[in-house]
Amino acid sequence: MPPLNLGNQPKTPLDAEQAWRATAARARETVLFFDFDGTLAPVDDDPTAVSPAPKVLAALEALAPVVRRVAIVSARPVEFLREHLGGLAGIDLYGLYGLEHSHSGGETVTEPAALPWVPTMSELAEQARAELPAGTLVEFKRLSVALHWRTAPRLGAQVERWGREQAERLGLKCQAGRMVLEIKPPVDRDKGMVIDEVVRDAGGAWYFGDDVSDIKAFAALRARAAGDPRFVGVCVAVANPETGHEVAEAADLTIDSPAALGDFLTEALPHLR
């Protein structure tokens, strides 16, 4: 009997052990995808100060040789991910929603269509620092600018309005998140597209995420499962007070926090081995 096509049943209650057992039958064909902020690492008032939750790095290191691939798919640049994952070997990194990638510690490759936008993003970051009110944190990521208002929630509407106006003026794209608005080049690249490409010849995949941008990744897993009854796809939400309900509605399972994710992955290892 083939494994359950778990990712194609978003409203059916899912037992985690059952899902891992179905995955174990084809672990060598399975990809494990993780968002970074809010999933592997708790969100912090200072986005530069975050670090993975306890047990997470050890679990990823143990999982990497057991499954086909472990991949981080994040809004962060690849270099940031590399630094904050402690030099883990055998992990693929997709940064800036897939505009950058690095496979198993190799060189960072940037989407060519995004490179001409670097000067525009740099100028936008400087403009944001000059025009937005105190309490706004402007994070320049070379190929995107993130406008955070976590430490000043009252500024949310003002900052978001300013960001969307500038994006429209410059022909850029916006991605809303947890008390942040990300402004990106008009290049057709998102987490769902990354997952779609990687799982085309995979036998299964799990995606762990916490924010609205991760829902596109869930959709990509469900589309793959809909086209192949043998594919085991599982979508996991990490709870949070801002976007958690919306993400959990789109997922098969919900985990309480990044710290709980570390425990969850550690407990999964015996099933896969």
Side-chain angles (χ1 to χ4, degrees), residues 242-261:
E242 291 123 13
T243 59
H245 178 73
E246 184 177 358
V247 181
E249 280 288 307
D252 302 300
L253 292 168
T254 300
I255 294 174
D256 289 340
S257 65
L261 175 60

Side-chain angles (χ1 to χ4, degrees), residues 129-264:
R129 294 187 182 105
E131 296 183 7
L132 287 172
T136 309
L137 192 154
V138 179
E139 184 186 8
F140 174 56
K141 306 180 188 179
R142 190 173 74 103
L143 288 172
S144 72
V145 175
L147 307 176
H148 301 263
W149 56 86
R150 179 166 296 277
T151 60
R154 68 189 184 282
L155 299 177
Q158 179 183 354
V159 173
E160 185 166 7
R161 183 170 57 252
W162 185 94
R164 292 189 181 279
E165 287 174 354
Q166 299 306 316
E168 184 175 358
R169 177 178 67 85
L170 296 167
L172 303 171
K173 298 173 68 175
C174 290
Q175 172 66 60
R178 295 175 57 185
M179 304 186 85
V180 61
L181 182 72
E182 190 108 19
I183 305 173
K184 311 182 294 180
V187 177
D188 197 16
R189 199 76 178 145
D190 60 39
K191 292 182 177 183
M193 295 175 70
V194 171
I195 275 62
D196 178 62
E197 291 168 3
V198 177
V199 302
R200 283 176 185 171
D201 62 346
W206 290 56
Y207 187 96
F208 298 80
D210 74 304
D211 211 344
V212 290
S213 64
D214 299 306
I215 294 175
K216 290 184 178 180
F218 291 171
L221 277 195
R222 298 202 190 287
R224 175 72 175 85
D228 183 354
R230 298 167 301 171
F231 183 84
V232 177
V234 184
C235 304
V236 185
V238 179
N240 70 80
E242 291 123 13
T243 59
H245 178 73
E246 184 177 358
V247 181
E249 280 288 307
D252 302 300
L253 292 168
T254 300
I255 294 174
D256 289 340
S257 65
L261 175 60
D263 292 329
F264 181 80

Side-chain angles (χ1 to χ4, degrees), residues 15-110:
D15 178 83
E17 288 193 17
Q18 179 190 27
W20 283 121
R21 285 197 298 270
T23 299
R26 54 187 62 208
R28 293 292 182 183
E29 303 173 53
T30 297
V31 184
L32 302 181
F33 296 99
F34 300 88
D35 174 44
F36 184 81
D37 290 282
T39 300
L40 297 182
V43 171
D44 193 275
D45 289 348
D46 180 357
T48 67
V50 301
S51 58
K55 299 186 181 180
V56 162
L57 292 184
L60 294 182
E61 188 171 32
L63 286 165
V66 177
V67 298
R68 176 176 182 174
R69 181 177 297 178
V70 172
I72 315 301
V73 188
S74 172
R76 298 283 196 168
V78 163
E79 191 57 36
F80 177 95
L81 296 173
R82 187 179 283 122
E83 292 172 358
H84 286 73
L85 290 170
L88 288 179
I91 307 290
D92 292 345
L93 305 176
Y94 294 88
L96 303 175
Y97 302 93
L99 292 178
E100 296 180 338
H101 67 266
S102 170
H103 295 294
S104 300
E107 66 174 330
T108 300
V109 178
T110 302

